[in-house]
Amino acid sequence: MKTNTIKRCGLIAGITTSALLLSACQNLSSPTVRFDRQVNYGDAKAVELVTNEFGSTDLQMIAEKMTGSLLETGIFQGRPTVTLAPVKNKTSEYIDTNNVMSSIQTALTKSGKVRFVRSINQMQQGVDELQRQNQSGLYKQGTTAKIGQMTAAKYQLEGELTSIVKQNNTTKDVYYKFTLSLFDVQEGTVEWQDEKEIRKTSKR
């Protein structure tokens, strides 16, 4: 009698263990997808005021101001070549300043008034591609890009972002200033310069 009871208990335990293992395997292979939050598309151009830190609206305002100011000068006669220098971020925040210059480059390129050549950060990619075409032996002669034929930049765009932060127990004030300069590469002269100021205040 006791032997049969022990056997039954062992059988039940084995079945239970197998069921648990099977359930665990199913959970690993088919993870449960949970929808805890409602997600909606928003207007990418809408004013963003989640915090008073540097945000998407600030980037858009800077890009629009700089692009409009540059095009108004009429300096880009004959579609000259321009290259970008990294923007100096002198604020206390981590800001991807490449996004600012990328937006400016996109708008200027779409205007058809200027041609951009590879920036300092992009140059290695161009060198790698030239070497691959000319040294790998994979391409037909006459179809590869020739080394030494890159077009040099006539102008270089250089930017700087600074900020001043003031706060007390109830108010935080952040002042941003973005300065953009266009240098003649050969002569080293500043051919154009403008700035965009932004002030953001928040209260507790």
Side-chain angles (χ1 to χ4, degrees):
M1 182 71 176
K2 290 182 178 180
T3 303
N4 291 335
T5 301
I6 292 172
K7 289 181 178 179
R8 289 176 183 174
C9 289
L11 179 61
I12 293 171
I15 293 173
T16 302
T17 302
S18 299
L20 290 172
L21 289 172
L22 179 60
S23 176
C25 291
Q26 289 175 341
N27 287 335
L28 288 174
S29 60
S30 302
T32 302
V33 179
R34 298 180 60 185
F35 297 92
D36 295 330
R37 300 177 182 177
Q38 183 178 0
V39 178
N40 296 304
Y41 281 102
D43 182 3
K45 294 290 186 180
V47 176
E48 178 267 310
L49 290 173
V50 178
T51 68
N52 57 3
E53 296 178 340
F54 193 88
S56 61
T57 301
D58 306 315
L59 185 153
Q60 291 164 356
M61 288 194 298
I62 288 172
E64 289 174 5
K65 169 68 183 296
M66 295 300 125
T67 303
S69 179
L70 262 171
L71 293 177
E72 285 175 2
T73 64
I75 196 171
F76 295 141
Q77 299 295 325
R79 295 186 69 216
T81 50
V82 179
T83 189
L84 301 178
V87 175
K88 297 175 182 177
N89 178 12
K90 294 187 176 181
T91 73
S92 58
E93 302 175 39
Y94 169 76
I95 299 173
D96 186 0
T97 52
N98 288 331
N99 271 333
V100 180
M101 296 300 271
S102 178
S103 294
I104 293 172
Q105 179 177 341
T106 298
L108 290 175
T109 301
K110 290 173 68 175
S111 74
K113 302 291 186 181
V114 61
R115 295 176 297 154
F116 280 89
V117 298
R118 289 186 182 273
S119 66
I120 296 171
N121 293 335
Q122 299 168 334
M123 182 56 69
Q124 189 57 51
Q125 297 175 5
V127 172
D128 291 344
E129 177 60 19
L130 282 171
Q131 290 177 343
R132 186 170 70 89
Q133 289 191 22
N134 288 277
Q135 298 177 14
S136 66
L138 297 173
Y139 300 93
K140 294 180 181 179
Q141 290 186 353
T143 65
T144 59
K146 294 181 175 58
I147 295 176
Q149 298 299 310
M150 282 189 179
T151 300
K154 176 175 176 56
Y155 298 112
Q156 179 165 303
L157 275 172
E158 299 182 15
E160 177 180 280
L161 180 64
T162 60
S163 69
I164 299 174
V165 181
K166 299 288 185 179
Q167 59 183 342
N168 56 28
N169 293 333
T170 60
T171 305
K172 182 178 181 181
D173 181 87
V174 184
Y175 167 82
Y176 294 102
K177 185 172 78 168
F178 183 84
T179 305
L180 190 65
S181 305
L182 183 73
F183 287 88
D184 185 298
V185 174
Q186 179 172 291
E187 298 181 7
T189 54
V190 178
E191 297 299 309
W192 167 91
Q193 183 168 301
D194 205 344
E195 60 187 31
K196 173 65 178 177
E197 298 174 297
I198 298 171
R199 168 164 267 114
K200 304 171 79 173
T201 303
S202 61
K203 295 183 180 293
R204 294 182 180 178

